[in-house]
Amino acid sequence: MLDFIDPSSSPRNRRSFLRVGSLGLGGMTLPGLLQAQEELKPMVKDRSVVFVFMHGGPSQFETFDPKMEAPSTIRSVTGEIPTSIPGISFGSTFPRLAQLAHKFSVVRSFTTGTGAHDIKPIVGKNSLGANIGSLYARVAGNSVPESGMPKNLALYPKAVDESAMPAILKFGDFSSTGPLSRIYAPFAPGSGGELQGDMKLHLSQQRLEDRRTLLDRLDATKAAFYDHGIAEGMTRFQQQAFDTILGGIVEAFDITKEDPRTIARYDTAPLVNPGSIRKKWNNHERYRDHSQTLGKLMLLSRRLCERGAGFVTVTTNFVWDMHADRNNATVSEGMGYVGAPFDHAISAFIEDVEARGLSEKILLVCCGEMGRTPKINKNGGRDHWGRLAPLMMYGGGLKMGQVVGKSSRDGGEPASEPVTMDHLTSTILHTLFDIGQVRLLDGISNEVMQVLTANRPISSLI
């Protein structure tokens, strides 16, 4: 939170005209934060991560490893579609991603270890029970001093649609910080969580939302500084701090500021008519939310990364669990509700990032907590499977346009060296940090340092 202080009230206030609360680091002045940020530059790379968590456990067969040569009880029920990589096919609900396959990489030997519903690839043993973004924030800081933009965020459907269902957190808390302080938890816009306060000035919520009132207040503060001569003699960090109050934060979260054509390219809402989703599935409201919001969430993610966010968690809110029971649709029907919006939103994100020249800067990770059984069950669904799961990665300066590893003939096991969640976490952290520099940091516990500096990235991608 930012405190506005009357700069003319006392000599002390003239020296400490701006304080930083929960958006900063322990009450440090904003000029001090800016200076600290300069010192962090050697170890924190100018990169961002968008981690799209495919909650529920996506099927490897209907996504990136269709196994069409296998028996009908195993192979993709949605068929296959050729990709831009010769000899490689994806499930047929991914036509746009198939055309972009040379731009990203998929891992066909990824294993999450268990078939339990949880959020272990992003909050699990491999990250000490903390969101990977919280580990990032522990080193990089909580916010961008120049703008106040939070560096670690979690986006649920409510971030872009107030009518969406609340996020499912019973299988794991995306805001968990493990052994770290709660100050490193992701900021979750629209969630109503405790960290909502991080985006507020010491003004009422109503006044904060009134952009005109806010800007008037800032203009008055600025005029007071110059009227009283406080601007004279400020260091460049103080000058920078003075000019940053909310500098663009509110605008960053407003996707309507985008070109309407860009908004339309991302929009997944027209792909699935909510009225066509069968109510026999108890999960029908979340299928609706997924199709209505995923494109907007990906657009918001890109906007936040452009403005300095370092780690953005996006959850699809538990729609990939396709048992064909009373809760979840069959694989064939469910991929129509879920796969088509995913294909559209993720391909729009890749195309947009490419067009903006940000492919080196932004790493996109897409996976769930598990894969699905090689055999289709009697109802036309697939059940929990922890031995193999789909994983897709794009950008971040990694080697793209390849298929890493291979699976067994029935698509149930790695047939090459397994890629584990430790490998995934290490790849992400190596993308974000100069690990050699991180090792020189003081004040970080041994267990956290071991995770931060573990040297086990996915070798084919580095």
Side-chain angles (χ1 to χ4, degrees):
M1 289 174 285
L2 303 179
D3 293 328
F4 285 114
I5 299 170
D6 181 357
S8 62
S9 60
S10 71
R12 178 177 178 275
N13 281 346
R14 290 167 65 89
R15 291 192 301 269
S16 59
F17 61 89
L18 182 65
R19 294 194 303 271
V20 178
S22 56
L23 277 181
L25 295 175
M28 184 186 293
T29 62
L30 186 52
L33 274 175
L34 292 166
Q35 191 159 4
Q37 188 82 356
E38 289 279 311
E39 296 169 1
L40 283 174
K41 282 185 178 179
M43 69 183 70
V44 180
K45 297 179 182 178
D46 184 23
R47 285 190 178 138
S48 305
V49 170
V50 176
F51 197 127
V52 177
F53 188 67
M54 303 165 75
H55 207 173
S59 165
Q60 60 272 34
F61 301 93
E62 282 73 36
T63 55
F64 302 114
D65 194 4
K67 295 293 182 190
M68 295 308 294
E69 71 281 4
S72 60
T73 55
I74 293 174
R75 64 178 178 246
S76 168
V77 300
T78 60
E80 67 178 341
I81 188 168
T83 74
S84 58
I85 302 176
I88 300 299
S89 63
F90 293 163
S92 66
T93 50
F94 285 179
R96 291 185 59 177
L97 285 173
Q99 295 176 4
L100 294 171
H102 60 290
K103 295 290 187 181
F104 58 87
S105 291
V106 298
V107 179
R108 286 182 169 174
S109 56
F110 178 56
T111 176
T112 63
T114 76
H117 277 313
D118 49 32
I119 56 175
K120 52 185 171 284
I122 193 163
V123 180
K125 293 180 180 178
N126 54 301
S127 61
L128 300 175
N131 187 300
I132 297 173
S134 297
L135 297 177
Y136 167 78
R138 175 62 183 87
V139 176
N142 286 331
S143 62
V144 180
E146 294 86 353
S147 66
M149 171 63 66
K151 286 190 177 178
N152 180 25
L153 300 103
L155 302 182
Y156 310 117
K158 274 187 171 294
V160 294
D161 185 349
E162 292 181 358
S163 68
M165 296 282 287
I168 288 183
L169 300 178
K170 71 176 181 178
F171 297 116
D173 183 2
F174 291 98
S175 69
S176 176
T177 58
L180 303 176
S181 166
R182 288 292 299 170
I183 67 172
Y184 300 113
F187 172 71
S191 71
E194 61 185 86
L195 289 180
Q196 287 296 93
D198 286 0
M199 293 293 286
K200 298 177 184 176
L201 297 180
H202 282 176
L203 303 169
S204 69
Q205 179 66 23
Q206 180 179 357
R207 293 183 70 195
L208 174 63
E209 292 172 348
D210 183 343
R211 290 173 59 87
R212 178 170 297 180
T213 299
L214 176 60
L215 292 174
D216 287 347
R217 181 72 178 270
L218 296 177
D219 288 342
T221 302
K222 183 175 181 179
F225 275 98
Y226 284 105
D227 287 347
H228 292 278
I230 295 174
E232 296 177 10
M234 287 195 297
T235 69
R236 74 181 178 91
F237 293 111
Q238 288 172 322
Q239 286 264 5
Q240 195 175 9
F242 172 70
D243 290 331
T244 110
I245 316 249
L246 279 192
I249 267 192
V250 175
E251 185 269 345
F253 286 85
D254 187 355
I255 62 174
T256 65
K257 300 299 181 183
E258 287 285 339
D259 185 315
R261 292 170 296 183
T262 300
I263 297 172
R265 282 197 294 271
Y266 273 93
D267 192 8
T268 52
L271 300 177
V272 179
N273 179 357
S276 70
I277 301 173
R278 292 202 291 168
K279 303 300 187 293
K280 67 175 290 185
W281 313 116
N282 290 341
N283 213 21
H284 67 88
E285 290 178 299
R286 298 195 186 276
Y287 293 146
R288 177 205 62 205
D289 290 349
H290 175 77
S291 63
Q292 296 294 300
T293 65
L294 184 59
K296 297 181 180 72
L297 289 169
M298 295 309 299
L299 175 55
L300 178 55
S301 298
R302 190 268 291 159
R303 287 176 63 81
L304 297 176
C305 289
E306 276 187 316
R307 290 156 177 80
F311 199 97
V312 181
T313 302
V314 177
T315 174
T316 57
N317 218 1
F318 206 79
V319 292
W320 293 91
D321 194 25
M322 298 179 190
H323 287 291
D325 55 15
R326 63 191 180 88
N327 293 317
N328 309 285
T330 65
V331 175
S332 177
E333 185 176 339
M335 286 301 292
Y337 301 148
V338 175
F342 180 88
D343 175 65
H344 186 98
I346 300 303
S347 59
F349 181 87
I350 291 172
E351 290 168 345
D352 195 16
V353 168
E354 290 279 323
R356 293 169 183 272
L358 298 173
S359 61
E360 292 286 316
K361 175 180 169 58
I362 298 177
L363 171 65
L364 172 68
V365 180
C366 301
C367 73
E369 68 267 38
M370 59 184 161
R372 311 307 291 188
T373 50
K375 288 190 176 181
I376 300 167
N377 66 33
K378 65 179 182 180
N379 297 321
R382 294 189 190 271
D383 300 315
H384 296 189
W385 192 256
R387 300 178 195 172
L388 200 74
L391 170 62
M392 169 190 167
M393 302 181 78
Y394 159 79
L398 302 180
K399 295 177 182 178
M400 295 291 103
Q402 59 177 316
V403 173
V404 176
K406 58 183 179 180
S407 60
S408 58
R409 293 181 64 184
D410 70 352
E413 310 272 351
S416 58
E417 181 180 1
V419 171
T420 67
M421 290 189 297
D422 283 341
H423 293 122
L424 176 59
T425 301
S426 183
T427 302
I428 291 170
L429 293 174
H430 275 71
T431 299
L432 292 170
F433 299 130
D434 181 325
I435 299 300
Q437 292 290 324
V438 171
R439 289 192 176 97
L440 302 177
L441 277 175
D442 294 326
I444 294 181
S445 69
N446 289 336
E447 63 173 353
V448 173
M449 182 63 77
Q450 286 174 4
V451 172
L452 289 171
T453 61
N455 189 25
R456 300 189 69 199
I458 302 171
S459 58
S460 300
L461 298 181
I462 299 299

